[in-house]
Amino acid sequence: MVTDRHQLILDQLQREGRVNVLELCKELKVSSVTIRKDLKLLEKKNLLFRTHGGANATNPYTVDRPVNEKEKLQSSEKADIATVAAQLIEPNDSIIIASGTTVLALAKKIQIKESLTVVTSALNVAIELIKHPNVEVIQLGGYLRKSSSSVTGSYAETILHDFFCTKLFLGVDGIDMELGLTTTNSLEAQLNKQMIAHSRKIIVLSDSTKFGKRGFGRICGLEEVDQVITDSGISEHYKKDLESLGIEVTIVPR
């Protein structure tokens, strides 16, 4: 049986995509034990998915997919995000482009007349950029993941120690306000951490479907992020939460 309190929880979940235990306690004037029991009951009815400290309207856990399959998802949004991101690249920049279909879209949008140095773990990004005579490409080496066409492992991490770049363009599988940035592969997450450590500005490129999602490998907390570029599907709730952390949120128009 769904009570009035349960309905209020579900209504908020429908509006915002997620609920927080502490916020529900204040709003409904009940204990956290009561709210957690409510969420557990509603999850059993397949009405929500519980997470640490709250619940989501949709399953927050992501699974690994082949890159050619992911390219077809939100392709127009990714192209628009990439167009805006490409405008941030300046003459004589030295940048890192990580792996993923959104940063691959960025590589396809780069049109720069001056010199540019790009360090990348993604084989498809490197292949896209070698056609530009004024772009120097440094391809990291290591274990090649067929599902993402990118390298991971200690060798790639070691090579990164020799560089410090102006910007990192990072694609992710999930953005969670509590867990931070995640990806489906733990080795990729470790390499992304090293990329962050060797970059001055961290720019996350993510379509709005990634918000509220969690992957297996944690990359970092949101306090490490300088800017997020996403599409207009992002909820106002997530936008305000990110901005409250000092993150610049750029929303590409439709």
mmCIF file with all atom_site columns, all heavy atoms in Angstrom, residues 52-65:
data_model
loop_
_atom_site.group_PDB
_atom_site.id
_atom_site.type_symbol
_atom_site.label_atom_id
_atom_site.label_alt_id
_atom_site.label_comp_id
_atom_site.label_asym_id
_atom_site.label_entity_id
_atom_site.label_seq_id
_atom_site.pdbx_PDB_ins_code
_atom_site.Cartn_x
_atom_site.Cartn_y
_atom_site.Cartn_z
_atom_site.occupancy
_atom_site.B_iso_or_equiv
_atom_site.pdbx_formal_charge
_atom_site.auth_seq_id
_atom_site.auth_comp_id
_atom_site.auth_asym_id
_atom_site.auth_atom_id
_atom_site.pdbx_PDB_model_num
ATOM 1   N N   . HIS A 1 52 ? 23.103 5.606  -1.921  1.00 0.00 ? 52 HIS A N   1
ATOM 2   C CA  . HIS A 1 52 ? 23.627 6.075  -0.641  1.00 0.00 ? 52 HIS A CA  1
ATOM 3   C C   . HIS A 1 52 ? 23.067 7.466  -0.330  1.00 0.00 ? 52 HIS A C   1
ATOM 4   O O   . HIS A 1 52 ? 23.285 8.413  -1.075  1.00 0.00 ? 52 HIS A O   1
ATOM 5   C CB  . HIS A 1 52 ? 25.151 6.141  -0.683  1.00 0.00 ? 52 HIS A CB  1
ATOM 6   C CG  . HIS A 1 52 ? 25.767 6.658  0.576   1.00 0.00 ? 52 HIS A CG  1
ATOM 7   N ND1 . HIS A 1 52 ? 25.787 5.940  1.747   1.00 0.00 ? 52 HIS A ND1 1
ATOM 8   C CD2 . HIS A 1 52 ? 26.374 7.837  0.846   1.00 0.00 ? 52 HIS A CD2 1
ATOM 9   C CE1 . HIS A 1 52 ? 26.376 6.643  2.685   1.00 0.00 ? 52 HIS A CE1 1
ATOM 10  N NE2 . HIS A 1 52 ? 26.755 7.805  2.161   1.00 0.00 ? 52 HIS A NE2 1
ATOM 11  N N   . GLY A 1 53 ? 22.279 7.560  0.728   1.00 0.00 ? 53 GLY A N   1
ATOM 12  C CA  . GLY A 1 53 ? 21.734 8.852  1.139   1.00 0.00 ? 53 GLY A CA  1
ATOM 13  C C   . GLY A 1 53 ? 20.464 9.265  0.450   1.00 0.00 ? 53 GLY A C   1
ATOM 14  O O   . GLY A 1 53 ? 19.985 10.379 0.646   1.00 0.00 ? 53 GLY A O   1
ATOM 15  N N   . GLY A 1 54 ? 19.861 8.379  -0.357  1.00 0.00 ? 54 GLY A N   1
ATOM 16  C CA  . GLY A 1 54 ? 18.641 8.774  -1.050  1.00 0.00 ? 54 GLY A CA  1
ATOM 17  C C   . GLY A 1 54 ? 18.156 7.731  -2.024  1.00 0.00 ? 54 GLY A C   1
ATOM 18  O O   . GLY A 1 54 ? 18.307 6.528  -1.800  1.00 0.00 ? 54 GLY A O   1
ATOM 19  N N   . ALA A 1 55 ? 17.570 8.213  -3.130  1.00 0.00 ? 55 ALA A N   1
ATOM 20  C CA  . ALA A 1 55 ? 17.045 7.301  -4.146  1.00 0.00 ? 55 ALA A CA  1
ATOM 21  C C   . ALA A 1 55 ? 16.967 8.017  -5.485  1.00 0.00 ? 55 ALA A C   1
ATOM 22  O O   . ALA A 1 55 ? 16.874 9.249  -5.537  1.00 0.00 ? 55 ALA A O   1
ATOM 23  C CB  . ALA A 1 55 ? 15.672 6.775  -3.749  1.00 0.00 ? 55 ALA A CB  1
ATOM 24  N N   . ASN A 1 56 ? 16.986 7.239  -6.557  1.00 0.00 ? 56 ASN A N   1
ATOM 25  C CA  . ASN A 1 56 ? 16.871 7.750  -7.916  1.00 0.00 ? 56 ASN A CA  1
ATOM 26  C C   . ASN A 1 56 ? 15.611 7.208  -8.581  1.00 0.00 ? 56 ASN A C   1
ATOM 27  O O   . ASN A 1 56 ? 15.130 6.138  -8.226  1.00 0.00 ? 56 ASN A O   1
ATOM 28  C CB  . ASN A 1 56 ? 18.083 7.331  -8.767  1.00 0.00 ? 56 ASN A CB  1
ATOM 29  C CG  . ASN A 1 56 ? 19.284 8.217  -8.536  1.00 0.00 ? 56 ASN A CG  1
ATOM 30  O OD1 . ASN A 1 56 ? 19.457 8.778  -7.466  1.00 0.00 ? 56 ASN A OD1 1
ATOM 31  N ND2 . ASN A 1 56 ? 20.130 8.323  -9.540  1.00 0.00 ? 56 ASN A ND2 1
ATOM 32  N N   . ALA A 1 57 ? 15.135 7.946  -9.579  1.00 0.00 ? 57 ALA A N   1
ATOM 33  C CA  . ALA A 1 57 ? 13.965 7.490  -10.327 1.00 0.00 ? 57 ALA A CA  1
ATOM 34  C C   . ALA A 1 57 ? 14.339 6.382  -11.305 1.00 0.00 ? 57 ALA A C   1
ATOM 35  O O   . ALA A 1 57 ? 13.523 5.532  -11.628 1.00 0.00 ? 57 ALA A O   1
ATOM 36  C CB  . ALA A 1 57 ? 13.330 8.655  -11.073 1.00 0.00 ? 57 ALA A CB  1
ATOM 37  N N   . THR A 1 58 ? 15.575 6.407  -11.775 1.00 0.00 ? 58 THR A N   1
ATOM 38  C CA  . THR A 1 58 ? 16.041 5.407  -12.734 1.00 0.00 ? 58 THR A CA  1
ATOM 39  C C   . THR A 1 58 ? 17.247 4.676  -12.165 1.00 0.00 ? 58 THR A C   1
ATOM 40  O O   . THR A 1 58 ? 17.899 5.158  -11.232 1.00 0.00 ? 58 THR A O   1
ATOM 41  C CB  . THR A 1 58 ? 16.424 6.053  -14.078 1.00 0.00 ? 58 THR A CB  1
ATOM 42  O OG1 . THR A 1 58 ? 17.451 7.035  -13.836 1.00 0.00 ? 58 THR A OG1 1
ATOM 43  C CG2 . THR A 1 58 ? 15.217 6.719  -14.716 1.00 0.00 ? 58 THR A CG2 1
ATOM 44  N N   . ASN A 1 59 ? 17.559 3.535  -12.720 1.00 0.00 ? 59 ASN A N   1
ATOM 45  C CA  . ASN A 1 59 ? 18.701 2.744  -12.262 1.00 0.00 ? 59 ASN A CA  1
ATOM 46  C C   . ASN A 1 59 ? 19.990 3.561  -12.411 1.00 0.00 ? 59 ASN A C   1
ATOM 47  O O   . ASN A 1 59 ? 20.357 3.948  -13.528 1.00 0.00 ? 59 ASN A O   1
ATOM 48  C CB  . ASN A 1 59 ? 18.804 1.459  -13.085 1.00 0.00 ? 59 ASN A CB  1
ATOM 49  C CG  . ASN A 1 59 ? 19.816 0.492  -12.507 1.00 0.00 ? 59 ASN A CG  1
ATOM 50  O OD1 . ASN A 1 59 ? 20.692 0.860  -11.736 1.00 0.00 ? 59 ASN A OD1 1
ATOM 51  N ND2 . ASN A 1 59 ? 19.688 -0.758 -12.882 1.00 0.00 ? 59 ASN A ND2 1
ATOM 52  N N   . PRO A 1 60 ? 20.688 3.851  -11.315 1.00 0.00 ? 60 PRO A N   1
ATOM 53  C CA  . PRO A 1 60 ? 21.870 4.714  -11.403 1.00 0.00 ? 60 PRO A CA  1
ATOM 54  C C   . PRO A 1 60 ? 23.134 4.004  -11.855 1.00 0.00 ? 60 PRO A C   1
ATOM 55  O O   . PRO A 1 60 ? 24.141 4.658  -12.114 1.00 0.00 ? 60 PRO A O   1
ATOM 56  C CB  . PRO A 1 60 ? 22.026 5.207  -9.956  1.00 0.00 ? 60 PRO A CB  1
ATOM 57  C CG  . PRO A 1 60 ? 21.512 4.071  -9.133  1.00 0.00 ? 60 PRO A CG  1
ATOM 58  C CD  . PRO A 1 60 ? 20.371 3.485  -9.930  1.00 0.00 ? 60 PRO A CD  1
ATOM 59  N N   . TYR A 1 61 ? 23.090 2.694  -11.968 1.00 0.00 ? 61 TYR A N   1
ATOM 60  C CA  . TYR A 1 61 ? 24.311 1.954  -12.260 1.00 0.00 ? 61 TYR A CA  1
ATOM 61  C C   . TYR A 1 61 ? 24.450 1.689  -13.756 1.00 0.00 ? 61 TYR A C   1
ATOM 62  O O   . TYR A 1 61 ? 23.546 1.167  -14.395 1.00 0.00 ? 61 TYR A O   1
ATOM 63  C CB  . TYR A 1 61 ? 24.342 0.655  -11.461 1.00 0.00 ? 61 TYR A CB  1
ATOM 64  C CG  . TYR A 1 61 ? 24.313 0.931  -9.976  1.00 0.00 ? 61 TYR A CG  1
ATOM 65  C CD1 . TYR A 1 61 ? 23.149 0.765  -9.247  1.00 0.00 ? 61 TYR A CD1 1
ATOM 66  C CD2 . TYR A 1 61 ? 25.439 1.425  -9.318  1.00 0.00 ? 61 TYR A CD2 1
ATOM 67  C CE1 . TYR A 1 61 ? 23.110 1.069  -7.887  1.00 0.00 ? 61 TYR A CE1 1
ATOM 68  C CE2 . TYR A 1 61 ? 25.409 1.725  -7.970  1.00 0.00 ? 61 TYR A CE2 1
ATOM 69  C CZ  . TYR A 1 61 ? 24.239 1.539  -7.254  1.00 0.00 ? 61 TYR A CZ  1
ATOM 70  O OH  . TYR A 1 61 ? 24.206 1.851  -5.923  1.00 0.00 ? 61 TYR A OH  1
ATOM 71  N N   . THR A 1 62 ? 25.598 2.078  -14.291 1.00 0.00 ? 62 THR A N   1
ATOM 72  C CA  . THR A 1 62 ? 25.850 1.972  -15.722 1.00 0.00 ? 62 THR A CA  1
ATOM 73  C C   . THR A 1 62 ? 26.593 0.677  -16.042 1.00 0.00 ? 62 THR A C   1
ATOM 74  O O   . THR A 1 62 ? 27.253 0.092  -15.186 1.00 0.00 ? 62 THR A O   1
ATOM 75  C CB  . THR A 1 62 ? 26.684 3.159  -16.218 1.00 0.00 ? 62 THR A CB  1
ATOM 76  O OG1 . THR A 1 62 ? 27.955 3.164  -15.544 1.00 0.00 ? 62 THR A OG1 1
ATOM 77  C CG2 . THR A 1 62 ? 25.970 4.470  -15.948 1.00 0.00 ? 62 THR A CG2 1
ATOM 78  N N   . VAL A 1 63 ? 26.491 0.256  -17.286 1.00 0.00 ? 63 VAL A N   1
ATOM 79  C CA  . VAL A 1 63 ? 27.222 -0.927 -17.757 1.00 0.00 ? 63 VAL A CA  1
ATOM 80  C C   . VAL A 1 63 ? 28.078 -0.531 -18.946 1.00 0.00 ? 63 VAL A C   1
ATOM 81  O O   . VAL A 1 63 ? 27.791 0.431  -19.657 1.00 0.00 ? 63 VAL A O   1
ATOM 82  C CB  . VAL A 1 63 ? 26.254 -2.061 -18.159 1.00 0.00 ? 63 VAL A CB  1
ATOM 83  C CG1 . VAL A 1 63 ? 25.495 -2.571 -16.952 1.00 0.00 ? 63 VAL A CG1 1
ATOM 84  C CG2 . VAL A 1 63 ? 25.279 -1.594 -19.240 1.00 0.00 ? 63 VAL A CG2 1
ATOM 85  N N   . ASP A 1 64 ? 29.154 -1.283 -19.131 1.00 0.00 ? 64 ASP A N   1
ATOM 86  C CA  . ASP A 1 64 ? 30.066 -1.006 -20.244 1.00 0.00 ? 64 ASP A CA  1
ATOM 87  C C   . ASP A 1 64 ? 29.415 -1.406 -21.568 1.00 0.00 ? 64 ASP A C   1
ATOM 88  O O   . ASP A 1 64 ? 28.784 -2.453 -21.669 1.00 0.00 ? 64 ASP A O   1
ATOM 89  C CB  . ASP A 1 64 ? 31.366 -1.781 -20.045 1.00 0.00 ? 64 ASP A CB  1
ATOM 90  C CG  . ASP A 1 64 ? 32.498 -1.230 -20.886 1.00 0.00 ? 64 ASP A CG  1
ATOM 91  O OD1 . ASP A 1 64 ? 32.356 -0.110 -21.409 1.00 0.00 ? 64 ASP A OD1 1
ATOM 92  O OD2 . ASP A 1 64 ? 33.524 -1.914 -21.007 1.00 0.00 ? 64 ASP A OD2 1
ATOM 93  N N   . ARG A 1 65 ? 29.576 -0.532 -22.574 1.00 0.00 ? 65 ARG A N   1
ATOM 94  C CA  . ARG A 1 65 ? 29.049 -0.816 -23.904 1.00 0.00 ? 65 ARG A CA  1
ATOM 95  C C   . ARG A 1 65 ? 30.133 -0.545 -24.940 1.00 0.00 ? 65 ARG A C   1
ATOM 96  O O   . ARG A 1 65 ? 30.998 0.300  -24.723 1.00 0.00 ? 65 ARG A O   1
ATOM 97  C CB  . ARG A 1 65 ? 27.839 0.084  -24.217 1.00 0.00 ? 65 ARG A CB  1
ATOM 98  C CG  . ARG A 1 65 ? 26.617 -0.155 -23.341 1.00 0.00 ? 65 ARG A CG  1
ATOM 99  C CD  . ARG A 1 65 ? 25.514 0.793  -23.729 1.00 0.00 ? 65 ARG A CD  1
ATOM 100 N NE  . ARG A 1 65 ? 24.291 0.568  -22.967 1.00 0.00 ? 65 ARG A NE  1
ATOM 101 C CZ  . ARG A 1 65 ? 23.177 1.280  -23.119 1.00 0.00 ? 65 ARG A CZ  1
ATOM 102 N NH1 . ARG A 1 65 ? 23.122 2.244  -24.011 1.00 0.00 ? 65 ARG A NH1 1
ATOM 103 N NH2 . ARG A 1 65 ? 22.110 1.018  -22.385 1.00 0.00 ? 65 ARG A NH2 1
#
